[in-house]
Amino acid sequence: VLACMMPGVAAAQALAWQPADAAALRAWDTLLRAERELAADVRAARFDARRRLFMIRADLDGDGRPETLLSPRLESWCGSAGCVVYVLRGGRAVCQTYAHHGVRGGDLRLLPRDASGWRGFEATRRVRFVAEPDGAVACVEEDRPRRVQ
């Protein structure tokens, strides 16, 4: 995982989901305070973040500090596109996407840094980042390129 955070790495790098650590659990709590509807769903589902929340950390924006990707594994939040994934930067959600866990192609593949200065990733879809006019960052999901066999 360390190699994927180095600025000179050009090739796509696979990143594996890990159980959430204490910092990821704090980030999850911060996300729940900001997202009331999500917090209500979490309470209703009796979601246990200590057992069912997974994370990936990678420096996506090149500032030397890793962003945190959080994915709660709960059947009602997962489907054919995978489970929901929140990309957090500095404790705030930048975007939401989906990824599969622990199945063929289920881990994320971190992509090389692009013109935006961010490293996107491939999950269920390809995710890249764009700067909004107000300085915020948003993610754009694109279909993954089909592999020729």
Side-chain angles (χ1 to χ4, degrees), residues 100-107 149:
H100 291 281
H101 291 258
V103 295
R104 183 175 165 217
D107 293 333
Q149 298 182 358

Side-chain angles (χ1 to χ4, degrees), residues 2-92:
L2 292 177
C4 70
M5 291 188 251
M6 295 177 358
V9 174
Q13 173 95 27
L15 302 175
W17 291 101
Q18 306 288 325
D21 62 13
L25 291 170
R26 286 192 300 274
W28 177 248
D29 288 341
T30 299
L31 178 64
L32 294 179
R33 284 193 296 276
E35 303 285 338
R36 292 177 188 244
E37 188 174 320
L38 175 61
D41 288 346
V42 165
R43 281 190 303 276
R46 297 177 186 220
F47 178 72
D48 182 356
R50 286 181 293 279
R51 288 190 21 234
R52 305 206 36 106
L53 183 66
F54 292 82
M55 67 173 201
I56 290 176
R57 283 207 185 86
D59 183 5
L60 301 177
D61 64 0
D63 67 357
R65 295 180 304 231
E67 280 62 49
T68 303
L69 288 73
L70 294 177
S71 186
R73 289 190 196 169
L74 188 66
E75 271 188 45
S76 61
W77 297 340
C78 299
S80 61
C83 296
V84 67
V85 174
Y86 299 95
V87 179
L88 304 177
R89 178 184 191 206
R92 295 182 135 170

Side-chain angles (χ1 to χ4, degrees), residues 95-146:
C95 72
Q96 174 183 328
T97 188
Y98 293 86
H100 291 281
H101 291 258
V103 295
R104 183 175 165 217
D107 293 333
L108 298 180
R109 294 193 47 80
L110 191 60
L111 301 173
R113 202 167 306 289
D114 64 17
S116 72
W118 281 68
R119 294 185 76 172
F121 57 87
E122 287 185 350
T124 303
R125 302 192 75 196
R126 177 174 276 178
V127 176
R128 64 182 179 84
F129 296 90
V130 295
E132 297 287 329
D134 65 358
V137 177
C139 66
V140 176
E141 293 180 305
E142 303 167 339
D143 288 334
R144 289 175 67 173
R146 293 181 187 247

